[in-house]
Every structure is written in structure tokens, then in C-alpha cells.
Amino acid sequence: MSKVTGCTAAPNVLSLGSYTYIQAPVHSAATVNGTLTRGGRPVTLRETEPILRDFLDVLGELQDDFTRRWGAIKEWPVLSRAE
């Protein structure tokens, strides 16, 4: 059963709001993409995939920076109000 759609008929078909994503076969060539449609019209993944990859790269950098800064804050000394 798909967690996204609750459908048991086709586990490689995901309903994502108004979009439907059909995953590429597991053992397909690296050049084969899944199919994304909206309202029965295809959305080209070759154009959106690089944008998604860039976004995830930037998100990873932000997460690394946040983790570094959070660790530095935790090491700050705690001062009591009496000092």
C-alpha cells in the first residue's frame, strides 16, 4: 500500500496533490525518468530535476551551517543573573 495515496493497485503511482507521479522502473537505465502529470498533461522532469538537485544541495549546505552554529551555541558558557 502506498503511504501517499493509500492505493494498493499500483505502488509505483503516487498522488501528490494535483500531481500524479509514476516512478520509472527500478532496473531502468539512468536516462529513464519517471512521469509527472497534472490534470492529464505531462510535466517535463528533465527541466525540473536540475532545479530540485540545486535546491537540495543548497538545503544541505544550510543544514550543515545550522548544525555547526547550533553546536557552537551549545558550547557557550551559561551565566547566572548574579554575575
Side-chain angles (χ1 to χ4, degrees):
M1 177 184 295
S2 169
K3 288 183 180 180
V4 177
T5 63
C7 176
T8 59
N12 62 337
V13 176
L14 304 173
S15 177
L16 307 165
S18 61
Y19 293 89
T20 301
Y21 179 69
I22 303 169
Q23 298 174 346
V26 176
H27 300 292
S28 61
T31 58
V32 176
N33 291 323
T35 305
L36 184 66
T37 61
R38 181 176 185 194
R41 301 184 72 185
V43 176
T44 306
L45 293 177
R46 284 175 280 160
E47 295 172 9
T48 57
E49 186 176 3
I51 295 169
L52 179 60
R53 287 181 190 266
D54 290 343
F55 172 73
L56 292 175
D57 289 343
V58 170
L59 191 61
E61 291 172 14
L62 290 171
Q63 184 177 10
D64 291 343
D65 186 53
F66 177 76
T67 301
R68 181 183 54 79
R69 290 176 184 229
W70 185 257
I73 289 172
K74 288 180 129 183
E75 294 173 4
W76 287 356
V78 177
L79 301 175
S80 68
R81 291 185 179 252
E83 293 180 18

